[in-house]
Amino acid sequence: MSEHRTDAVDAILAQWRAERPDLDLEAMAIVGRVGRLHQAAARAIESVFTEFGLQRGEFDVLAALRRAGAPYELNPSVLADTLMLSRAGMTGRLDRLESAELVRRVGDTVDRRAIRVALTDKGRDLIDRAVTAHTANETRLLAALSAEDRRELDRIARILLHSLEPGDQR
């Protein structure tokens, strides 16, 4: 497979070169391709979530609870912060997940005024199956790249993210 196949971004760049030959289009090419990659990957990722009856936001909540470790509970505000979601947005997601019996709200054992969100057995089973399919799907999405290419892409993406998200240096 040739590394220099033309794509839709090339057509856009050709138009700009014809109209504005003075522009440096290297960044436009890269950002355009990254944007198209994001859209294509998002569609493929969403399709896996749909197989499990989940929307992306619901998957994210269940995944955050699951990776928190036993007893698979978090404070709703911690969940909202982790997922960069408003408290109101988190309440809506939790209401839907609770109605589906995937999570339950429980009293905090330390602070009786507070609640925690707990993954139910049904929710844990579902997220375990969904995340297995999700990671397999992501691996499939990157199958066109060699192991070395994947490592290099990860290295470059990490550098760029650190420059764009300077406050998020975890």
Side-chain angles (χ1 to χ4, degrees), residues 3-158:
E3 291 183 32
H4 299 289
R5 295 185 345 184
T6 60
D7 60 21
V9 174
D10 288 318
I12 293 166
L13 297 174
Q15 291 172 323
W16 277 118
R17 280 189 196 100
E19 294 298 316
R20 293 286 311 273
D22 60 307
L23 293 176
D24 177 357
L25 301 175
E26 180 183 45
M28 182 185 283
I30 294 167
V31 172
R33 286 189 176 95
V34 168
R36 292 177 68 84
L37 281 168
H38 171 74
Q39 289 176 344
R43 283 190 300 270
I45 289 167
E46 293 288 337
S47 72
V48 170
F49 298 156
T50 300
E51 289 176 29
F52 292 90
L54 296 170
Q55 296 173 6
R56 177 174 199 97
E58 295 164 343
F59 173 90
D60 290 344
V61 170
L62 297 176
L65 290 167
R66 179 62 173 97
R67 69 178 183 262
Y72 313 110
E73 293 180 4
L74 290 171
N75 177 295
S77 61
V78 169
L79 262 175
D81 291 344
T82 299
L83 302 176
M84 297 181 291
L85 196 63
S86 71
R87 303 299 191 257
M90 179 55 64
T91 298
R93 283 186 192 175
L94 294 178
D95 288 347
R96 288 189 302 275
L97 291 167
E98 193 170 38
S99 292
E101 299 177 347
L102 300 174
V103 302
R104 68 187 189 303
R105 290 174 171 107
V106 296
D108 190 305
T109 57
V110 176
D111 181 356
R112 292 179 33 185
R113 297 167 298 164
I115 64 159
R116 295 182 62 81
V117 178
L119 199 55
T120 64
D121 289 341
K122 179 180 175 183
R124 183 175 172 197
D125 176 63
L126 179 66
I127 193 58
D128 281 349
R129 290 183 294 115
V131 79
T132 298
H134 173 59
T135 57
N137 185 43
E138 288 182 323
T139 299
R140 181 190 59 77
L141 293 173
L142 297 177
L145 301 176
S146 69
E148 182 180 337
D149 288 342
R150 290 190 305 273
R151 284 189 299 275
E152 183 66 3
L153 180 58
D154 183 59
R155 184 188 70 77
I156 292 168
R158 185 183 307 273

